[in-house]
Amino acid sequence: MSDPFTMLKNIKETGKKVVGFYCVYAPQEVVLAADALGFALCATKEEPIADGEKTLPRNFCPLIKSSYGFAVTDKCPYFVHSDIIIGETTCDGKKKMFELMKTFKPVHVMKLPQSYLDESDKAYWLNEVKILKELLEVELGTTITDEKLREAIKILNEERLLMQQLAEYMKNDPVPMTGQDFLKLMWGRNFVTDRADFAEQIKAIISDMEDSVAKGEAAMPKGAKRILVTGVPTGVGAEKVIKIIEDCGAAVVYIENCSGMKQFVTLVDETKPPLEAIAEKYLATPCSCMSPNPIRQQHLVQLVKDYRADGVVDITWQGCHTYNVESRVVKEFLKQNGDIPFLQVETDYSQGDVEQIKTRIQAFLEMMA
């Protein structure tokens, strides 16, 4: 979008409401059923971190510092024009950030349970989704009916199926798309104003991928080492590790992160009561904030097989304690289930460690030779 500030201003002048969010736990179906536009908020650029550090500790996760820096400087158009922000308790740093944000912006924080395995946790989260529904109805002056929820579920399930279909093409050798371009497509979904148009665009790209595979066209050389990327949210502007992997000659065949395919792999069950089905889908997100988190580990092993990955690179932001601890758990699980090569890269948004990361990734790829 060449001028999102003007685009959003024009949308708001029509009376349309805007809801901002930071995490895939925010139930998009509820926002869509409220006749509002939902947008992911800016959080993946280094430039606003200095402004964030004027209030937040320097040893905070860069994603939080970037998020807050964008918010306090009004440099994120989606934050500026949001009528309400949906937060979530995925980490202590975010909880405190939302506490500060509430002093200058309407913020509703959804309280996550500690696990997705227990029935009591599922009931707790369903109640949180009900609270969000009722709050949006009041704050946005709308009524969210079951009919609207079912229509929203259908629309977003179609998007998920299209993204799953697109990901299937990354199983080819050679791959028809770079991991960086694949990330841009998934990232673009966060800023959609017309969902039907977005679906048509993805269908067109799927058609292009099919043609590329048929013609033998490729983004990376045949036989390139195949890497599965996992870990923290890695959006456009903070994709340096993915770029380094591909600059080293490897193909990023799957991005499991929640900013990547994690948000698309599970559908909302269209046969169940809508709010119950929505709550079930979102709670099943295998984030490291959940303890224990077996789905992520099991899913990674299956993805390695499905995408014939030669190794896994786990990206961890400095200060992200849950992903940092879980990285060791994932490494051991992959070793026990196929002796899958694994590399953790702990970094931030700066470019100061690019050469160091490049050296480590080159050594990792040579080890698999």
Side-chain angles (χ1 to χ4, degrees), residues 240-311:
K240 69 176 179 183
V241 177
I242 293 173
K243 182 180 186 302
I244 292 169
I245 292 170
E246 295 188 325
D247 285 348
C248 290
V252 173
V253 297
Y254 197 90
I255 302 172
E256 186 269 346
N257 315 52
C258 54
S259 52
M261 283 299 297
K262 186 177 289 185
Q263 59 188 313
F264 301 115
V265 294
T266 306
L267 303 182
V268 176
D269 190 337
E270 298 183 27
T271 67
K272 293 184 176 181
L275 269 189
E276 178 184 320
I278 290 167
E280 185 178 90
K281 178 263 187 293
Y282 283 87
L283 185 60
T285 304
C287 175
S288 68
C289 67
M290 294 294 171
S291 185
N293 188 21
I295 293 177
R296 180 189 177 204
Q297 300 162 39
Q298 296 158 5
H299 190 216
L300 283 172
V301 170
Q302 189 60 50
L303 287 171
V304 167
K305 294 177 182 176
D306 292 345
Y307 284 81
R308 292 173 288 119
D310 296 297

Side-chain angles (χ1 to χ4, degrees), residues 11-22:
I11 286 174
K12 291 299 293 292
E13 287 175 351
T14 69
K16 196 77 170 176
K17 301 295 185 180
V18 173
V19 177
F21 58 92
Y22 285 101

